[in-house]
Amino acid sequence: MAAASGARAAGRRSRRLFDIFVAEVPWTVSSKELKEYFAQFGSVQRCQLPFDKDTGFHRRYCWIKFSTPQDVQNVFQKDSHILEGAKLAIKQEPHRRHSQRKNRSE
């Protein structure tokens, strides 16, 4: 069991490296549509599209998690990404979870 939990922890660390941050997401685009769009570049593991509790709308940014670093490189091979007439702003950034931010300040 210890080996399995160690492998999961190692997997979490490595997957963190394959995230991209997407900003300027149109209000009308859903998480499903983002997954479908980015699937053309590789295997999308997850799309995290946070919502505002007060408005009920998403916050116009998301993180896309890919299976491999090659998938991320494939995204950056394309000059621009346009969904529903809006140009998406894409950056390669690891998604920082609360526990990671906390550990960095210690």
Side-chain angles (χ1 to χ4, degrees), residues 49-59:
L49 183 65
F51 278 76
D52 185 304
K53 292 177 187 176
D54 296 329
T55 66
F57 292 106
H58 66 72
R59 297 180 183 250

Side-chain angles (χ1 to χ4, degrees), residues 5-22:
S5 64
R8 279 194 303 267
R12 282 193 298 270
R13 283 193 296 271
S14 66
R15 283 194 304 257
R16 179 181 62 175
L17 300 174
F18 313 136
D19 285 3
I20 61 169
F21 177 77
V22 183

Side-chain angles (χ1 to χ4, degrees), residues 27-60:
W27 297 108
T28 54
V29 173
S30 69
S31 176
K32 181 181 176 186
E33 290 170 309
L34 286 162
K35 281 183 186 178
E36 289 172 358
Y37 175 78
F38 284 103
Q40 68 182 306
F41 303 105
S43 177
V44 176
Q45 289 185 341
R46 184 174 182 190
C47 173
Q48 186 176 1
L49 183 65
F51 278 76
D52 185 304
K53 292 177 187 176
D54 296 329
T55 66
F57 292 106
H58 66 72
R59 297 180 183 250
R60 300 197 63 209

Side-chain angles (χ1 to χ4, degrees), residues 1 5-6 13 21 25 34 39-40 42-43 48 50-51 62 66 68 73 77 84 86 92-93 95 97 102 105:
M1 265 199 163
S5 64
R13 283 193 296 271
F21 177 77
V25 177
L34 286 162
Q40 68 182 306
S43 177
Q48 186 176 1
F51 278 76
C62 70
F66 287 98
T68 69
Q73 288 180 3
Q77 293 295 319
E84 296 191 12
Q92 185 174 358
E93 291 185 359
H95 176 82
R97 291 188 171 88
K102 182 179 176 184
S105 64

